[in-house]
Amino acid sequence: MNRGTKIALILLRIAIGWHFLYEGVSKWSVEPWQRPFSSEPYLQASIGPFRDTFRGLISDKDGLARLKKESIEAAIDRQHEEILEHYSGVKPFTDAQKSKLKATVADLKASLAARFDDPDFLSRLSEQEKKLNDAEEQLIDASRTPEQRAAAQKARDEARKAIAKAVGRPATLWDKSLSREDLHNVVVQAGEESRFRQRVADYQLMLARVKEDTSLLHAPFTSERLNSDRAKLAKTRMELLAIAAAPLVELDAAAQKLADVDQMRAGPLDGLPSQTCLLDWMTAWGLTAIGLGLIFGVFTRTASLAAAAFLAMFYLAMPPWPGVPEPSLSEGHYFLVNKNLIEMIAVLALASLPTGHWFGLDPWVERHVTGPLRRRWKGTKAQPQAAAAASRPERAAGALNAS
Amino acid sequence: MVLTEQQRQIGKDNFRDALEYSRRKFLAGAAVGLPSVTAFYWGYSKITGSPVKVGLIGTGDQGNAHIRSANPEFIKIVAFSDIRPKSQKTARVSLESKYGADARSIEMYEDYHKLLDRGDVEMVIISLPLHLHAPCAIEAMQKGKHVLCEKLMAKTVLDCKQMVRAARKTGKYLAVGHQRHYSYLYANALEIVRQKDVIGDIKHIRAFWHRNQTGGGKPGAETGEFDGWHRSIAEEDKKVDFAKYGYKSLEELVRWRLYARTGGGLMVELGSHQLDAVGIFLSEVLGHKDPKAPREPVHPLALSGVGSTSYFTDGREVEDHIFLTYEFPQNTVVTYSSICTNEFDQYGELVLGTKGTLAVLSEKDVYVFKEKAPKDTRITWAEKRIGEAVATSTSTAQWVVDVGIPDTLGSRGYREEQEHLAWLIRNPGQGQPRCSGEVALGDAVVTLASNVAMREKRRIQFKKEWFDVGSDAGPENG
């Protein structure tokens, strides 16, 4: 193999390494105000024959477990504990703060129960709204005495508080500047949310129908319908999960309101855990490690094989095969072969060559890390062969350098 | 001022055409290389070296605006100070969203004197109530910090002068936050004022800031319920030891703008900005006899005014309606009004010339209208002039439109005033902040004299020594 070929192959390896490294780094080095990386949207968007396999990697992929009232309550309790722990890292909550937080937790749970189970929820909510409106009417009536006005102001504030509590927003819905129209919209929205159970039931029905449909995927129109159903399901899932997560956001806001300025140094609470934490971690750091390995020629062959495995997964998650719809975001047109496949074949070719010894730290690693380790391992198993094993790495390295 | 959609469009087109014409002329004579936007407008560029370490003193509304505007490449806030828990908490939230987890190491001091004792702080931003500007700024400069102080510079003219003297004695920079000095909008508007054939002779400028703080005339609004300056007192602020920091009551601390000891009323809070803008415009028109020479600041010769507390009954010590008339050189008259009971006019400055009107509205829109054009106020001359032979390439003209004009919308100038001061600290000897102590002193004299005129109900003639740093004289003491 001539020198030019070697240089080209090493450049190929470094380029692929850089691609991996940059992808990896961009996944874990997000700015504080950005959402952390999650592989969930990618897996959810998987298409083709392995769709279920890839989506199966997401825990609770349809969100059904998180949409139960009990699990929302459990999540509130978890959040409650997390808040106490979060601030205790800087300055623990005082007893007064703790009891206020506890009251908020109780309010949130009560509101949850009322919205989900109380058939009279809506009528009681509109009663409160009527009280509020009556008070507002009195306030714009110039003929009222100051005392009457003060009483009306008090009634208005009480009605507002009651509405905020009822709709499950005791901490964030206490704003003087909210107009009557804004509050009315909040009430309307709470009405929508009170149909939560019904909507979850509808969602389950639709999930079941889509599942059945996959067996009938022959005619083009069925696949079209399936795709539109899937989009509808994804939208409904997002909406329902947002309602389920709302009490946690509220609790977080309540805690921030309670915290004093020293406690605020703890910073904001971490967002809700992703449904793919382990996978996210593995993806971000795996890509980074492979990238470093390929660039610096450390464990080059292992890194190359691992890179090929990653690329195989990316290829299969959205394969450009006949009958598989095109992914919604694609920068080119592919049939059978796409860039993932090409990069995978290239990296497999690299795995078959000792490029880490042409240019890289592999010889050094072998001499100082893997060699001694291997010797020690073999030494404990078979003492007599130790001397022979000791001389091997140098020979191996020398032989490859000569090739 | 209410304009129809069509009028707005025509006004904008006129402005854009006129500006493009003046830019083409400028670029035709200017160097070939294109400067960066900030270099083009304000004369500074990217900072070299580490960001300047800043202490932020006072984290109310304005302090938070400073955090939000901060450019981490230029300034790194290392400490902040406030005595109100509510403001402290708001600052923590803003800092976290600006600097992320790094913000958690930012030290908080209740007492700003302790912040000033920190050796590593290079520059302080002061956004305290008015009566504290002078003592805090002077102490900061004496302790070796450069100062960016919010407007109005100080409570009295003598205080202002002592600030300038302290800056001269210590050799520290003193910048004052009249942000219109760093506003792209006003810089571009100024280019129009400079063109005699667009606006013509200017004999009158009308400035106004009209707000409706009555909730639309709701009963009981006299108590200040709908007035932004009549803040409700947050639960967590009720335990503040206000007396320890010299306040007479919690109300005086939270609603400091309403009290004579701590604030200066509409003229200080709103009028000073607009008189500053008027001063910038008129200095351009009246200030230089020789177009090549640097312009001199132009100050009014006399003023008279009326002010009244005619609506609110919440015990405020400042006016809720003010009306002032300023007599500038060459018989140019400026009127200013600020009221709290009607917002039809909103806020802005109208430069009324013989050939056209320049309207800068709400610090975000600028329009040019032609005079004596009953049907269509479009300025056709601009289109004609653009066709004249000008030695600029198309690509340069593109830059004029793309880089120059859209910036009129972007920034109100807070970021630029911070950046420029930080840049000066890293590049000493490269000039002064655009609104230095000397410049701000002029604004303070006009503003504070207006309050004296209204409160004493008399016509005031400005004296030269009021604007002289060396003299102790000011409108308050004759």
Side-chain angles (χ1 to χ4, degrees):
Chain A
M1 202 177 284
N2 69 30
R3 175 177 281 217
T5 317
K6 281 188 182 175
I7 291 174
L9 286 170
I10 285 161
L11 284 178
L12 176 66
R13 190 192 78 202
I14 291 174
I16 295 177
W18 177 253
H19 181 202
F20 271 73
L21 178 68
Y22 192 76
E23 276 286 359
V25 170
S26 69
K27 285 182 174 48
W28 52 257
S29 72
V30 285
E31 298 293 343
W33 54 86
Q34 288 171 328
R35 285 171 74 92
F37 162 73
S38 163
S39 45
E40 189 178 338
Y42 183 81
L43 295 171
Q44 288 279 16
S46 166
I47 43 176
F50 303 103
R51 181 173 192 271
D52 287 339
T53 322
F54 282 107
R55 290 188 72 237
L57 293 172
I58 308 168
S59 68
D60 189 26
K61 63 177 188 293
D62 295 322
L64 289 174
R66 279 171 287 166
L67 293 176
K68 287 192 191 123
K69 189 183 139 204
E70 299 72 41
S71 54
I72 301 176
E73 282 175 340
I76 294 176
D77 287 334
R78 264 203 312 279
Q79 182 92 342
H80 184 193
E81 276 166 34
E82 240 169 70
I83 286 168
L84 293 177
E85 202 188 304
H86 178 73
Y87 289 104
S88 69
V90 181
K91 178 180 155 193
F93 268 21
T94 61
D95 288 342
Q97 285 174 316
K98 276 183 190 163
S99 70
K100 274 185 188 161
L101 190 66
K102 222 172 179 178
T104 309
V105 168
D107 282 347
L108 287 172
K109 284 186 181 170
S111 154
L112 204 62
R115 272 181 296 163
F116 286 9
D117 299 325
D118 183 358
D120 297 332
F121 170 74
L122 280 181
S123 60
R124 281 197 288 116
L125 191 60
S126 57
E127 229 168 75
Q128 288 293 355
E129 200 187 0
K130 194 174 167 300
K131 271 189 201 163
L132 175 76
N133 286 342
D134 287 348
E136 295 269 13
E137 292 299 331
Q138 297 219 0
L139 280 173
I140 53 172
D141 182 351
S143 68
R144 303 280 154 166
T145 62
E147 291 77 35
Q148 282 172 324
R149 204 172 287 135
Q153 223 157 27
K154 207 175 149 212
R156 178 191 65 184
D157 290 354
E158 272 169 11
R160 277 191 167 198
K161 266 186 195 157
I163 289 174
K165 249 187 201 179
V167 301
R169 291 176 58 188
T172 56
L173 202 66
W174 178 239
D175 185 352
K176 209 171 143 190
S177 64
L178 267 186
S179 68
R180 275 160 77 176
E181 289 72 32
D182 294 337
L183 269 172
H184 181 69
N185 289 337
V186 169
V187 169
V188 170
Q189 200 195 334
E192 280 289 306
E193 286 174 16
S194 71
R195 289 176 46 248
F196 188 73
R197 277 188 194 251
Q198 185 56 47
R199 288 187 68 191
V200 172
D202 292 347
Y203 172 67
Q204 272 170 310
L205 273 179
M206 196 165 161
L207 270 177
R209 195 184 83 197
V210 169
K211 213 169 213 168
E212 273 169 33
D213 270 3
T214 38
S215 59
L216 303 170
L217 244 185
H218 303 302
F221 69 88
T222 49
S223 92
E224 235 166 64
R225 190 176 71 166
L226 182 65
N227 284 336
S228 101
D229 278 359
R230 277 179 181 164
K232 216 184 275 173
L233 274 176
K235 190 167 167 270
T236 316
R237 183 175 62 237
M238 299 277 278
E239 283 172 7
L240 292 175
L241 284 173
I243 296 175
L248 306 183
V249 178
E250 190 67 22
L251 192 56
D252 199 3
Q256 209 176 84
K257 257 188 156 174
L258 281 175
D260 68 22
V261 65
D262 296 326
Q263 287 161 338
M264 298 270 293
R265 276 183 101 149
L269 218 60
D270 291 334
L272 294 178
S274 149
Q275 295 302 111
T276 46
C277 331
L278 182 64
L279 215 60
D280 299 341
W281 189 89
M282 277 165 51
T283 311
W285 292 101
L287 291 173
T288 310
I290 290 171
L292 289 172
L294 290 177
I295 290 174
F296 294 106
V298 184
F299 300 116
T300 317
R301 288 199 160 152
T302 321
S304 304
L305 290 174
F310 259 108
L311 288 160
M313 283 200 292
F314 299 147
Y315 178 74
L316 292 176
M318 293 173 192
W321 292 347
V324 177
E326 270 191 39
S328 46
L329 276 174
S330 170
E331 99 288 24
H333 300 87
Y334 305 104
F335 183 63
L336 299 180
V337 175
N338 66 10
K339 288 180 188 167
N340 284 331
L341 188 72
I342 296 168
E343 194 171 2
M344 185 184 90
I345 295 170
V347 93
L348 281 175
L350 288 174
S352 71
L353 292 164
T355 63
H357 285 83
W358 299 341
F359 180 80
L361 300 174
D362 267 348
W364 185 89
V365 170
E366 213 153 324
R367 189 166 306 140
H368 297 286
V369 186
T370 49
L373 277 178
R374 197 184 302 147
R375 250 172 283 149
R376 184 179 297 173
W377 183 66
K378 286 211 170 155
T380 54
K381 274 179 84 177
Q383 284 294 350
Q385 287 172 18
S391 64
R392 251 174 62 189
E394 284 83 356
R395 256 198 289 130
L400 288 169
N401 275 331
S403 70
Chain B
M1 205 174 80
V2 180
L3 298 172
T4 65
E5 190 56 46
Q6 192 190 8
Q7 283 171 322
R8 275 206 292 268
Q9 195 52 53
I10 290 172
K12 265 185 201 164
D13 287 351
N14 285 338
F15 172 70
R16 179 175 277 259
D17 287 349
L19 188 62
E20 196 169 336
Y21 173 65
S22 89
R23 284 294 161 74
R24 279 180 178 222
K25 260 200 323 207
F26 167 82
L27 284 171
V32 186
L34 297 180
S36 75
V37 178
T38 55
F40 176 72
Y41 281 98
W42 321 123
Y44 70 89
S45 51
K46 267 197 160 334
I47 198 164
T48 46
S50 57
V52 171
K53 288 187 177 155
V54 170
L56 176 61
I57 302 175
T59 58
D61 293 344
Q62 214 55 30
N64 265 292
H66 275 291
I67 298 176
R68 282 195 301 275
S69 311
N71 179 353
E73 284 173 32
F74 283 76
I75 72 166
K76 179 174 169 49
I77 297 175
V78 294
F80 72 95
S81 164
D82 204 290
I83 64 171
R84 288 168 56 195
K86 185 164 189 280
S87 313
Q88 295 168 351
K89 282 178 71 171
T90 322
R92 277 265 175 246
V93 174
S94 307
L95 287 167
E96 178 90 21
S97 55
K98 174 65 69 179
Y99 295 101
D102 291 349
R104 293 170 208 168
S105 60
I106 296 174
E107 208 60 50
M108 200 272 294
Y109 299 88
E110 197 179 274
D111 185 347
Y112 74 72
H113 298 92
K114 293 200 178 116
L115 185 150
L116 293 178
D117 286 334
R118 262 182 71 151
D120 63 333
V121 172
E122 298 169 85
M123 159 183 162
V124 292
I125 299 176
I126 300 173
S127 36
L128 289 167
L130 178 65
H131 70 298
L132 293 172
H133 286 186
C136 182
I138 291 170
E139 185 183 335
M141 287 185 279
Q142 282 167 350
K143 289 184 176 168
K145 325 284 183 218
H146 302 282
V147 171
L148 170 58
C149 180
E150 257 312 320
K151 69 95 217 346
L152 189 71
M153 193 174 177
K155 188 97 192 18
T156 68
V157 169
L158 184 57
D159 279 349
C160 297
K161 290 179 177 177
Q162 273 161 353
M163 283 164 78
V164 179
R165 289 174 199 163
R168 287 181 182 174
K169 198 173 156 203
T170 58
K172 296 290 156 194
Y173 289 113
L174 169 63
V176 180
H178 287 285
Q179 79 269 10
R180 279 165 177 76
H181 286 270
Y182 289 95
S183 158
Y184 298 98
L185 184 80
Y186 282 89
N188 289 338
L190 195 59
E191 281 193 42
I192 307 298
V193 171
R194 209 174 275 157
Q195 293 182 55
K196 275 258 167 190
D197 43 1
V198 182
I199 304 296
D201 290 331
I202 299 166
K203 290 292 162 201
H204 178 36
I205 294 181
R206 186 164 86 81
F208 47 90
W209 196 323
H210 293 183
R211 308 172 305 152
N212 189 329
Q213 307 292 85
T214 71
K218 287 213 173 116
E222 302 84 12
T223 56
E225 195 191 339
F226 302 97
D227 182 9
W229 293 2
H230 182 105
R231 290 286 154 83
S232 55
I233 296 168
E235 204 53 49
E236 56 223 295
D237 285 350
K238 286 185 181 159
K239 52 181 191 266
V240 173
D241 185 1
F242 53 84
K244 182 179 163 196
Y245 295 99
Y247 291 93
K248 288 183 184 145
S249 64
L250 204 51
E251 284 75 15
E252 193 190 49
L253 166 62
V254 177
R255 302 169 188 159
W256 59 268
R257 286 182 177 86
L258 302 181
Y259 295 93
R261 195 184 71 86
T262 46
L266 293 166
M267 200 54 223
V268 162
E269 292 300 321
L270 309 177
S272 62
H273 278 307
Q274 295 178 282
L275 264 296
D276 175 41
V278 167
I280 296 174
F281 289 147
L282 285 183
S283 299
E284 196 57 50
V285 180
L286 311 173
H288 49 188
K289 291 109 205 165
D290 173 10
K292 293 247 165 61
R295 62 190 160 87
E296 287 163 31
V298 168
H299 300 300
L301 305 171
L303 87 95
S304 45
V306 178
S308 65
T309 314
S310 50
Y311 185 82
F312 291 110
T313 55
D314 56 357
R316 68 182 60 201
E317 296 164 4
V318 299
E319 301 80 6
D320 51 33
H321 289 69
I322 60 172
F323 309 89
L324 296 126
T325 308
Y326 300 87
E327 300 160 38
F328 275 80
Q330 299 178 29
N331 293 320
T332 309
V333 175
V334 173
T335 60
Y336 181 71
S337 61
S338 182
I339 65 177
C340 291
T341 50
N342 179 293
E343 61 183 21
F344 183 77
D345 274 342
Q346 302 193 336
Y347 80 102
E349 298 91 35
L350 303 179
V351 180
L352 308 166
T354 50
K355 293 186 179 173
T357 302
L358 174 80
V360 188
L361 300 182
S362 307
E363 243 181 298
K364 67 178 173 27
D365 296 313
V366 48
Y367 306 105
V368 172
F369 298 105
K370 190 185 175 188
E371 279 296 288
K372 292 283 176 197
K375 283 193 184 123
D376 185 355
T377 53
R378 206 176 288 269
I379 294 181
T380 45
W381 63 266
E383 289 153 31
K384 274 188 208 153
R385 287 295 185 81
I386 285 162
E388 282 178 12
V390 183
T392 35
S393 70
T394 329
S395 64
T396 319
Q398 194 66 40
W399 174 79
V400 168
V401 174
D402 284 346
V403 181
I405 296 176
D407 275 306
T408 57
L409 308 169
S411 167
R412 284 180 70 194
Y414 294 110
R415 170 178 285 235
E416 288 74 13
E417 69 190 13
Q418 294 174 358
E419 285 179 352
H420 191 197
L421 183 55
W423 184 85
L424 284 170
I425 292 170
R426 287 284 175 270
N427 299 276
Q430 303 264 344
Q432 281 288 324
R434 293 175 65 84
C435 187
S436 62
E438 284 86 350
V439 174
L441 170 64
D443 290 320
V445 170
V446 175
T447 305
L448 295 169
S450 307
N451 275 348
V452 173
M454 282 188 294
R455 286 166 194 173
E456 295 177 8
K457 301 196 187 307
R458 62 187 175 96
R459 180 171 179 271
I460 287 186
Q461 276 184 299
F462 286 88
K463 293 183 182 158
K464 242 201 167 98
E465 56 266 31
W466 294 353
F467 298 97
D468 176 11
V469 178
S471 150
D472 278 356
E476 298 96 343
N477 52 17

